[in-house]
Amino acid sequence: MIKRPTYENMVQRIGTASLLVAFFLPAGAQAASSEWMTSAGGMIRIVAAPMRQDGTIPATLEVKLNPGWKTYWREPGASGIPPQITLDPAEGVVLEKIGFPVPKTFDDGVVRYVGYDKSVAFPLTLKRLHGEGDVKIRASVFLGICEDICIPVQGELDLTLKHGDFDNPLDAARIDGAVAALPEPPSEDFKVTKAVYDEHKAAVQLSLRLPPDTGKEHRELFLAGSSGVTFGKPVITQAGGAELQAEIPARLSGKDKTLKGKAVILTVRADGRSMETTLAFE
């Protein structure tokens, strides 16, 4: 079984590599990263790689957490603030996509939420739509970091990618590590075999094929919907071998009480592997 490297493993490798690469970096090499924005629970910054020929700019939003602090996934649960990034359109750069590593569920018996209790990097796909020369990125960032209570963190992060400047390999390694930590796409041995929304029960019913030899103790499901759709705690109704069935309560606000035509993202953790896919309901 091939296991994808975790974010922690990639950080370890980057740290080791930095001892070697530092000897070969030219004096004055400029890192393509913003200054750190600090808060009570940690620090936040953006790291970016040089722009590609099609205008795409690989980047990450790095959240360095202090011990005992947490931050949130794209669907945090009953409380919490997911990371939100807004780019200044005047600079000609847009955010096309933000990726989320597989999270964890936290439940203290009163509040249940989904997120991360270790430092995490969210891969960003940026794209320059117009402009020449140096690339300026000006981002407004808003997210939650919590210890006992959630603290909103908001601020501006700026960086400039100098045209023709030296490409710092440590920045590229950080971005590659963040991308490697994302859930894999569906495959023949790890996929959804059935997805149904039961309007009477107001629940999503799933059947999944899991990788062989995965342990029953390390299986988690996470769902995130569009605006007006939230999900409760998944209940595994049947698990045998590489097959799993689960039911997830769904809450739909407003008059529309169906998931038809609404995008729902499913992330599954099974031992050392994780998978992400978009569910379609008819």
Coordinates of all heavy atoms in Angstrom, one line a residue, residues 180-233:
A180 N 1.2 17.9 -1.6 CA 1.3 16.5 -1.4 C 0.5 16.1 -0.2 O 0.1 14.9 -0.2 CB 2.8 16.1 -1.2
A181 N 0.2 17.0 0.7 CA -0.6 16.6 1.9 C -2.1 16.6 1.6 O -2.9 16.3 2.5 CB -0.3 17.5 3.0
L182 N -2.5 17.1 0.4 CA -4.0 17.1 0.1 C -4.5 15.7 -0.1 O -3.8 14.8 -0.5 CB -4.2 17.9 -1.2 CG -3.9 19.4 -1.1 CD1 -4.1 20.1 -2.5 CD2 -4.8 20.1 0.0
P183 N -5.8 15.5 0.1 CA -6.4 14.2 -0.2 C -6.3 13.9 -1.6 O -6.3 14.7 -2.5 CB -7.9 14.4 0.2 CG -7.9 15.6 1.2 CD -6.8 16.5 0.7
E184 N -6.2 12.6 -1.9 CA -6.1 12.1 -3.3 C -7.4 12.1 -4.0 O -8.5 12.1 -3.3 CB -5.5 10.7 -3.3 CG -6.3 9.7 -2.6 CD -5.6 8.3 -2.4 OE1 -4.8 8.2 -1.5 OE2 -5.9 7.4 -3.2
P185 N -7.5 12.1 -5.3 CA -8.8 11.9 -6.0 C -9.3 10.5 -5.9 O -8.5 9.6 -5.5 CB -8.4 12.3 -7.4 CG -7.0 12.0 -7.6 CD -6.3 12.2 -6.2
P186 N -10.5 10.3 -6.2 CA -11.1 8.9 -6.2 C -10.3 8.0 -7.1 O -9.8 8.4 -8.1 CB -12.5 9.1 -6.7 CG -12.8 10.5 -6.4 CD -11.6 11.3 -6.6
S187 N -10.2 6.7 -6.6 CA -9.5 5.7 -7.4 C -10.4 4.4 -7.3 O -11.4 4.3 -6.6 CB -8.1 5.4 -6.9 OG -8.1 5.1 -5.6
E188 N -9.9 3.4 -8.0 CA -10.7 2.1 -8.1 C -10.8 1.5 -6.7 O -11.9 0.9 -6.4 CB -10.1 1.1 -9.0 CG -11.0 -0.1 -9.4 CD -12.3 0.3 -9.9 OE1 -12.4 1.3 -10.7 OE2 -13.3 -0.4 -9.6
D189 N -9.8 1.6 -5.8 CA -9.9 1.0 -4.5 C -10.3 2.0 -3.4 O -10.2 1.7 -2.2 CB -8.6 0.3 -4.2 CG -7.4 1.3 -3.9 OD1 -7.6 2.5 -4.4 OD2 -6.4 1.0 -3.3
F190 N -10.6 3.2 -3.8 CA -11.0 4.3 -2.8 C -11.9 5.3 -3.4 O -11.5 6.2 -4.0 CB -9.7 5.0 -2.3 CG -9.8 5.7 -1.0 CD1 -8.7 6.3 -0.4 CD2 -11.0 5.7 -0.2 CE1 -8.7 7.0 0.8 CE2 -11.1 6.4 1.0 CZ -9.9 7.0 1.5
K191 N -13.2 5.0 -3.3 CA -14.2 5.8 -3.9 C -15.6 5.7 -3.3 O -15.8 4.7 -2.5 CB -14.3 5.5 -5.4 CG -14.8 4.1 -5.7 CD -14.8 3.8 -7.2 CE -15.3 2.4 -7.5 NZ -15.4 2.1 -9.0
V192 N -16.5 6.6 -3.7 CA -17.9 6.5 -3.3 C -18.6 5.6 -4.3 O -18.5 5.8 -5.5 CB -18.6 7.9 -3.3 CG1 -20.1 7.8 -3.0 CG2 -17.9 8.8 -2.2
T193 N -19.3 4.6 -3.9 CA -20.1 3.7 -4.8 C -21.5 4.1 -4.9 O -22.2 3.7 -5.8 CB -19.9 2.2 -4.3 OG1 -20.3 2.1 -3.0 CG2 -18.5 1.8 -4.5
K194 N -22.0 4.8 -3.8 CA -23.4 5.3 -3.9 C -23.6 6.5 -3.0 O -23.0 6.5 -1.9 CB -24.3 4.1 -3.4 CG -25.8 4.4 -3.5 CD -26.7 3.3 -3.1 CE -28.2 3.6 -3.2 NZ -29.0 2.4 -2.7
A195 N -24.3 7.5 -3.4 CA -24.6 8.7 -2.6 C -26.1 9.1 -2.9 O -26.5 9.4 -4.0 CB -23.7 9.8 -3.0
V196 N -26.9 9.1 -1.8 CA -28.3 9.4 -1.9 C -28.7 10.3 -0.8 O -28.2 10.2 0.3 CB -29.1 8.1 -1.8 CG1 -30.6 8.4 -1.8 CG2 -28.8 7.1 -2.9
Y197 N -29.6 11.3 -1.2 CA -30.1 12.2 -0.1 C -31.5 11.8 0.1 O -32.4 11.8 -0.7 CB -30.1 13.6 -0.6 CG -30.7 14.6 0.4 CD1 -30.2 14.7 1.7 CD2 -31.8 15.3 0.1 CE1 -30.8 15.5 2.6 CE2 -32.4 16.2 1.0 CZ -31.9 16.2 2.3 OH -32.5 17.1 3.2
D198 N -31.8 11.4 1.4 CA -33.1 10.9 1.8 C -33.8 12.2 2.4 O -33.5 12.6 3.5 CB -33.0 9.8 2.9 CG -34.3 9.2 3.3 OD1 -35.3 10.0 3.3 OD2 -34.4 8.0 3.5
E199 N -34.8 12.7 1.7 CA -35.4 14.0 2.1 C -36.3 13.7 3.4 O -36.4 14.6 4.2 CB -36.3 14.5 1.0 CG -35.5 15.1 -0.2 CD -36.4 15.8 -1.1 OE1 -37.5 16.2 -0.7 OE2 -36.0 16.1 -2.3
H200 N -36.8 12.5 3.5 CA -37.7 12.2 4.7 C -36.8 12.2 5.9 O -37.2 12.7 7.0 CB -38.3 10.8 4.5 CG -39.2 10.4 5.6 ND1 -40.4 11.0 5.9 CD2 -39.0 9.4 6.6 CE1 -40.9 10.5 7.0 NE2 -40.1 9.5 7.4
K201 N -35.6 11.6 5.9 CA -34.7 11.5 7.0 C -33.9 12.8 7.1 O -33.2 13.0 8.2 CB -33.8 10.3 6.9 CG -34.5 9.0 7.2 CD -33.5 7.9 7.2 CE -34.1 6.5 7.6 NZ -33.0 5.5 7.6
A202 N -33.9 13.6 6.0 CA -33.0 14.7 6.0 C -31.5 14.3 6.2 O -30.8 14.8 7.1 CB -33.4 15.8 6.9
A203 N -31.1 13.3 5.5 CA -29.8 12.8 5.7 C -29.2 12.3 4.4 O -29.9 11.8 3.5 CB -29.8 11.6 6.7
V204 N -27.9 12.4 4.3 CA -27.1 11.8 3.2 C -26.7 10.4 3.5 O -26.2 10.1 4.6 CB -25.8 12.7 2.9 CG1 -25.0 12.0 1.8 CG2 -26.2 14.1 2.4
Q205 N -26.9 9.5 2.6 CA -26.6 8.1 2.8 C -25.5 7.7 1.8 O -25.7 7.9 0.6 CB -27.8 7.2 2.6 CG -28.9 7.5 3.7 CD -30.2 6.7 3.4 OE1 -30.5 6.3 2.3 NE2 -31.0 6.6 4.5
L206 N -24.4 7.2 2.3 CA -23.2 6.9 1.5 C -22.8 5.5 1.6 O -22.9 4.9 2.7 CB -22.0 7.8 1.9 CG -22.2 9.3 1.8 CD1 -20.9 10.0 2.4 CD2 -22.3 9.7 0.3
S207 N -22.3 5.0 0.5 CA -21.6 3.7 0.5 C -20.2 4.0 -0.1 O -20.1 4.6 -1.2 CB -22.3 2.6 -0.4 OG -23.6 2.3 0.2
L208 N -19.2 3.4 0.5 CA -17.8 3.7 0.1 C -17.0 2.4 0.0 O -17.2 1.5 0.7 CB -17.1 4.7 1.0 CG -17.7 6.0 1.2 CD1 -18.5 6.1 2.5 CD2 -16.6 7.1 1.2
R209 N -16.1 2.4 -1.0 CA -15.1 1.4 -1.1 C -13.8 2.0 -0.5 O -13.3 3.0 -1.0 CB -14.9 0.9 -2.5 CG -13.8 -0.2 -2.7 CD -13.8 -0.7 -4.1 NE -15.1 -1.2 -4.5 CZ -15.5 -1.4 -5.7 NH1 -14.7 -1.0 -6.7 NH2 -16.7 -1.9 -6.0
L210 N -13.2 1.3 0.5 CA -12.0 1.8 1.1 C -10.8 1.0 0.7 O -10.9 -0.1 0.3 CB -12.1 1.8 2.7 CG -13.3 2.5 3.3 CD1 -13.3 2.4 4.8 CD2 -13.3 4.0 2.9
P211 N -9.6 1.5 0.8 CA -8.4 0.8 0.5 C -8.3 -0.5 1.3 O -8.8 -0.5 2.5 CB -7.3 1.7 0.9 CG -7.9 3.1 0.9 CD -9.3 2.9 1.3
P212 N -7.8 -1.6 0.8 CA -7.7 -2.8 1.6 C -6.8 -2.7 2.7 O -5.9 -1.8 2.7 CB -7.1 -3.8 0.5 CG -6.5 -3.0 -0.5 CD -7.3 -1.7 -0.6
D213 N -7.0 -3.4 3.8 CA -6.2 -3.5 5.0 C -6.2 -2.2 5.8 O -5.3 -1.9 6.5 CB -4.7 -3.8 4.6 CG -4.6 -5.1 3.9 OD1 -5.3 -6.0 4.2 OD2 -3.8 -5.2 2.9
T214 N -7.3 -1.4 5.7 CA -7.4 -0.2 6.5 C -8.1 -0.6 7.8 O -9.0 -1.4 7.9 CB -8.2 0.9 5.8 OG1 -9.5 0.4 5.5 CG2 -7.5 1.4 4.6
G215 N -7.6 0.0 8.9 CA -8.2 -0.3 10.2 C -9.5 0.3 10.5 O -9.8 1.4 10.0
K216 N -10.4 -0.3 11.2 CA -11.7 0.2 11.5 C -11.7 1.4 12.4 O -12.6 2.2 12.5 CB -12.6 -0.9 12.0 CG -12.9 -2.0 11.1 CD -13.8 -3.0 11.7 CE -14.1 -4.1 10.7 NZ -15.1 -5.2 11.3
E217 N -10.6 1.6 13.2 CA -10.5 2.6 14.2 C -10.2 4.0 13.6 O -10.3 5.0 14.3 CB -9.5 2.3 15.3 CG -9.8 1.0 16.1 CD -9.5 -0.3 15.4 OE1 -8.8 -0.2 14.3 OE2 -10.0 -1.3 15.8
H218 N -9.7 4.1 12.4 CA -9.2 5.3 11.9 C -9.9 5.7 10.6 O -9.3 5.9 9.5 CB -7.7 5.2 11.6 CG -6.9 4.9 12.9 ND1 -6.7 5.8 13.9 CD2 -6.3 3.7 13.2 CE1 -6.0 5.2 14.8 NE2 -5.7 3.9 14.5
R219 N -11.2 5.8 10.7 CA -12.1 6.2 9.6 C -12.9 7.4 9.9 O -13.6 7.3 10.9 CB -13.0 5.0 9.2 CG -12.2 3.7 8.7 CD -13.1 2.6 8.5 NE -12.4 1.4 8.0 CZ -13.0 0.3 7.6 NH1 -14.3 0.2 7.7 NH2 -12.3 -0.7 7.1
E220 N -12.8 8.4 9.2 CA -13.5 9.6 9.4 C -14.1 10.2 8.1 O -13.4 10.1 7.0 CB -12.7 10.7 10.1 CG -12.4 10.4 11.6 CD -11.8 11.7 12.2 OE1 -10.6 11.8 12.1 OE2 -12.5 12.5 12.8
L221 N -15.3 10.8 8.2 CA -15.9 11.4 7.0 C -16.2 12.9 7.3 O -16.6 13.2 8.4 CB -17.2 10.7 6.7 CG -17.2 9.4 5.9 CD1 -16.7 8.3 6.9 CD2 -18.6 9.0 5.4
F222 N -16.0 13.7 6.3 CA -16.2 15.2 6.5 C -17.0 15.6 5.3 O -16.6 15.4 4.1 CB -14.9 15.9 6.6 CG -14.0 15.3 7.7 CD1 -13.0 14.4 7.3 CD2 -14.0 15.7 9.0 CE1 -12.1 13.9 8.2 CE2 -13.1 15.2 9.9 CZ -12.2 14.3 9.5
L223 N -18.1 16.4 5.5 CA -18.8 16.9 4.4 C -18.9 18.4 4.5 O -19.0 19.0 5.6 CB -20.3 16.4 4.4 CG -20.5 15.0 3.6 CD1 -19.9 13.9 4.5 CD2 -21.9 14.8 3.3
A224 N -18.9 19.1 3.3 CA -19.0 20.5 3.3 C -19.9 20.9 2.1 O -19.7 20.4 1.0 CB -17.6 21.2 3.1
G225 N -20.9 21.7 2.4 CA -21.8 22.1 1.3 C -21.8 23.6 1.0 O -20.9 24.3 1.5
S226 N -22.6 24.0 0.0 CA -22.7 25.4 -0.4 C -23.4 26.2 0.7 O -23.9 25.6 1.7 CB -23.4 25.5 -1.7 OG -24.6 24.8 -1.7
S227 N -23.5 27.4 0.5 CA -24.2 28.3 1.5 C -25.6 27.8 1.8 O -26.4 27.5 0.9 CB -24.3 29.7 0.9 OG -24.9 30.6 1.8
G228 N -26.0 27.8 3.0 CA -27.3 27.3 3.4 C -27.4 25.8 3.7 O -28.5 25.3 4.1
V229 N -26.3 25.1 3.5 CA -26.3 23.6 3.8 C -25.2 23.3 4.8 O -24.0 23.7 4.7 CB -26.0 22.9 2.5 CG1 -26.0 21.4 2.8 CG2 -27.0 23.2 1.4
T230 N -25.6 22.7 5.9 CA -24.6 22.2 6.9 C -24.9 20.7 7.2 O -26.0 20.2 6.9 CB -24.7 23.0 8.2 OG1 -26.1 23.0 8.7 CG2 -24.4 24.5 8.0
F231 N -23.9 20.1 7.8 CA -24.0 18.7 8.1 C -23.7 18.4 9.5 O -22.9 19.0 10.2 CB -23.1 17.9 7.2 CG -23.4 18.0 5.7 CD1 -22.8 19.0 4.9 CD2 -24.4 17.2 5.1 CE1 -23.1 19.1 3.6 CE2 -24.7 17.3 3.8 CZ -24.1 18.3 3.0
G232 N -24.4 17.3 10.1 CA -24.2 16.9 11.4 C -23.1 15.8 11.5 O -22.4 15.6 10.5
K233 N -23.0 15.2 12.6 CA -22.0 14.1 12.9 C -22.3 12.9 12.1 O -23.4 12.3 12.1 CB -22.0 13.8 14.4 CG -20.9 12.8 14.7 CD -20.9 12.5 16.2 CE -19.8 11.5 16.6 NZ -19.8 11.2 18.1

